[in-house]
Amino acid sequence: FTKAWQVFDVIPIRDAITWNALINGYSELGYGEESLNCYEMMRIEGVPPTVVTYVCTLKACCNVGAIDKGNEIHSDIEKNSLLESDLFVANTLIDMYIKYGLLTDARHVFNSLQIRTLVSWNVLIGGYVNDGNEKEIFDCLKQMANEYILPDGITFTYCLKVCGMSGAIHKVSDIHNRIILKGFERNVNVANSLIDAYSKCAHLAEAKETFNKILAREVISWNILI
């Protein structure tokens, strides 16, 4: 970043785009503290943050575990009404709280969204999977149906993972039926998750049957079955 700073220092007027390039560069390479320092310098110079600024700094907060800074940025985001206008920022904020293990805060942000997309739902459901919270996951599925949001392969994969962990074979079968109905049965990632869930529930016949329906079997599919 020495060369980047040399160029940055000679720019007479630095705008948000210039700062974002530096903040994003540090954040993407895992230099969270440096990214947040740039954010503070940007604010000191009176340059208003943009959507890109907030997304990059929230990711930086995750990298270094800076929950206090994350909360501070959350307050700034709310002051600028970005939760209502930009789902990218909202989803990144939900993901940050999930990575801190603060699912109540993540759900609070999620519930405040006026428009919830499939991406928003998948981010939240993924958090509940990591927490092993089967009830919340299936409550999310019901709410998605009520809001006419169709699940995708990622949604099904998350649901199957938690069902396999808990050994809930009846729910695995229910999700399998939904997968067939939505046309995801031949999706390799979904099929692999089905094989894994059936195997963990000790239903190897169903696991083998699912395996046999995969048109292009990869090494991951074989390894799960083996």
Side-chain angles (χ1 to χ4, degrees), residues 156-157 159-161 163-165 167 169 172-173 175-176 179 184-226:
F156 287 130
T157 297
C159 293
L160 287 167
K161 183 176 180 180
C163 288
M165 290 163 55
I169 183 58
V172 173
S173 299
I175 294 170
H176 193 171
I179 287 169
F184 282 96
E185 191 177 24
R186 296 192 185 280
N187 178 299
V188 176
N189 291 330
V190 173
N192 287 342
S193 297
L194 265 173
I195 297 166
D196 185 58
Y198 276 129
S199 298
K200 285 176 177 168
C201 294
H203 280 245
L204 294 177
E206 289 87 345
K208 183 65 181 293
E209 184 180 352
T210 302
F211 176 85
N212 288 336
K213 290 179 180 177
I214 301 175
L215 296 178
R217 293 191 281 266
E218 54 186 24
V219 67
I220 295 173
S221 311
W222 282 103
N223 284 344
I224 294 171
L225 190 65
I226 291 169

Side-chain angles (χ1 to χ4, degrees), residues 8-225:
F8 184 82
D9 280 337
V10 299
I11 298 174
I13 300 176
R14 297 189 281 252
D15 60 10
I17 296 174
T18 312
W19 278 106
N20 286 343
L22 203 58
I23 292 170
N24 182 59
Y26 277 124
S27 181
E28 287 296 317
L29 292 175
Y31 294 96
E33 290 184 8
E34 289 81 355
S35 181
L36 293 176
N37 287 338
C38 287
Y39 171 75
E40 292 300 330
M41 292 166 63
M42 176 184 180
R43 300 305 300 268
I44 290 170
E45 288 195 5
V47 180
T50 66
V51 167
V52 175
T53 314
Y54 287 126
V55 168
C56 294
T57 50
L58 287 172
K59 290 179 179 179
C61 288
C62 289
N63 290 338
V64 297
I67 182 59
D68 291 338
K69 177 58 68 176
N71 287 330
E72 180 185 315
I73 294 170
H74 182 180
S75 297
D76 286 342
I77 289 169
E78 288 191 330
K79 288 176 184 176
N80 291 307
S81 302
L82 284 176
L83 287 181
E84 292 80 14
S85 62
D86 196 286
L87 278 171
F88 193 25
V89 172
N91 291 339
T92 306
L93 186 59
I94 294 168
D95 185 58
M96 181 195 75
Y97 281 125
I98 285 171
K99 286 176 178 171
Y100 284 136
L102 301 172
L103 286 167
T104 301
D105 296 274
R107 189 59 191 253
H108 177 74
V109 174
F110 179 85
N111 289 340
S112 71
L113 302 182
Q114 295 179 359
I115 299 175
R116 296 188 280 259
T117 65
L118 177 59
V119 174
S120 307
W121 281 105
N122 281 343
V123 171
L124 184 66
I125 290 171
Y128 286 131
V129 170
N130 293 333
D131 195 49
N133 197 325
E134 184 181 321
K135 180 183 179 301
E136 289 290 350
I137 290 169
F138 283 91
D139 283 346
C140 284
L141 282 180
K142 290 178 183 177
Q143 290 178 51
M144 285 175 68
N146 291 337
E147 295 182 16
Y148 303 102
I149 303 292
L150 297 176
D152 66 356
I154 295 172
T155 319
F156 287 130
T157 297
Y158 282 153
C159 293
L160 287 167
K161 183 176 180 180
V162 76
C163 288
M165 290 163 55
S166 64
I169 183 58
H170 62 291
K171 290 187 176 178
V172 173
S173 299
D174 176 58
I175 294 170
H176 193 171
N177 290 332
R178 297 191 197 193
I179 287 169
I180 294 171
L181 186 64
K182 302 298 181 185
F184 282 96
E185 191 177 24
R186 296 192 185 280
N187 178 299
V188 176
N189 291 330
V190 173
N192 287 342
S193 297
L194 265 173
I195 297 166
D196 185 58
Y198 276 129
S199 298
K200 285 176 177 168
C201 294
H203 280 245
L204 294 177
E206 289 87 345
K208 183 65 181 293
E209 184 180 352
T210 302
F211 176 85
N212 288 336
K213 290 179 180 177
I214 301 175
L215 296 178
R217 293 191 281 266
E218 54 186 24
V219 67
I220 295 173
S221 311
W222 282 103
N223 284 344
I224 294 171
L225 190 65

